[in-house]
Amino acid sequence: MSDDLASVQHASWDVNADAWTRAVRSGAIASRRRGTDAAIVAACAVQPGERVLDVGCGEGWLTRALTAAGGDVLGVDGAAALVDAAREAGGGRFEVASYATLSAATTAAPGPFDLIVCNFALLDADLGPLLRGLRARLAPSGRLVIQTVHPVATAGTEGYREGWREEIFAAFGGEFRAPMPWYYRTFEGWVAALRKAGLTISMLQEPRDADGNVLSLVWVCTAPPRHV
């Protein structure tokens, strides 16, 4: 990701924090109502007492849901305004942590975690540093669960080719003040990124709504045993 695009993307979450919080909490995002929220909670299958890291937690809804299910959950996000909204709502633990911080070998969000979840939170072209940072935080039997847009369903007029696109939040209602660049990735691209980061793909799910329409793509990954 270029520095210019990185600045635009990060700034968009700061200025859109209030609109995003209202959209999520009011149920204004149709795909969430139709099944993506339920799909990620089911894919996580959190067990009581499990240590969980919710990466890109936003206003905190998933952290709260997994905490209510018995997980010991930490939600992290790079946008301080979203973390403030999450803390105000309560129901979980929340910290500000940029993806650059999580990519580095630092004490931020120290593992090991039984579960790390990224729910529509991986939007950059180069996922390698972050995925490797998350892999390093997984417990030996831990799992990484990723929900993202479905490559076929979202190919759009740009076609089935990787590249930068722009989200203008037109379908979400509210007053979003800035567009957000995001990187469209094919199935092939996802598999390559996950394998390059040293992750093993253990399950692939394609959640659908009541009419059978595909809503998203869910990857469940594990980390191979470390050899000493």
Side-chain angles (χ1 to χ4, degrees):
M1 178 187 247
S2 72
D3 289 341
D4 287 344
L5 283 174
S7 296
V8 172
Q9 186 186 87
H10 298 162
S12 76
W13 285 114
D14 286 326
V15 301
N16 290 327
D18 288 344
W20 178 257
T21 298
R22 286 193 296 271
V24 171
R25 294 179 182 175
S26 68
I29 304 174
S31 60
R32 290 175 175 260
R33 299 195 308 270
R34 289 161 56 203
T36 62
D37 281 3
I40 193 62
V41 172
C44 286
V46 67
Q47 299 300 307
E50 282 193 317
R51 292 198 70 211
V52 182
L53 179 63
D54 180 8
V55 178
C57 67
E59 55 72 55
W61 82 268
L62 183 55
T63 296
R64 291 190 291 274
L66 299 181
T67 298
D72 176 11
V73 191
L74 172 63
V76 296
D77 201 285
L82 286 171
V83 172
D84 286 344
R87 286 172 173 165
E88 185 176 337
R93 295 184 295 119
F94 302 96
E95 294 180 5
V96 176
S98 69
Y99 285 8
T101 299
L102 294 175
S103 300
T106 71
T107 57
F113 291 98
D114 303 297
L115 166 67
I116 299 177
V117 56
C118 304
N119 187 44
F120 296 110
L122 300 181
L123 306 170
D124 292 355
D126 183 9
L127 299 179
L130 176 60
L131 290 176
R132 288 190 293 271
L134 299 181
R135 177 193 171 195
R137 289 170 168 83
L138 279 176
S141 59
R143 60 208 186 275
L144 171 65
V145 179
I146 299 167
Q147 181 166 223
T148 186
V149 297
H150 196 287
V152 174
T154 57
T157 58
E158 295 93 339
Y160 192 71
R161 61 177 64 88
E162 297 201 353
W164 284 100
R165 305 201 177 175
E166 186 178 72
E167 174 62 68
I168 61 173
F169 306 102
F172 296 172
E175 297 181 358
F176 285 84
R177 297 163 52 195
M180 181 198 68
W182 64 284
Y183 194 81
Y184 169 85
R185 185 170 273 105
T186 63
F187 271 105
E188 182 180 3
W190 272 109
V191 170
L194 294 169
R195 287 181 173 172
K196 189 175 180 179
L199 293 159
T200 298
I201 300 168
S202 60
M203 187 180 299
L204 167 65
Q205 301 173 346
E206 296 175 289
R208 299 172 184 270
D209 65 14
D211 296 322
N213 301 303
V214 67
L215 294 172
S216 64
L217 183 62
V218 176
W219 303 95
V220 181
C221 303
T222 57
R226 298 181 179 88
H227 299 289
V228 179

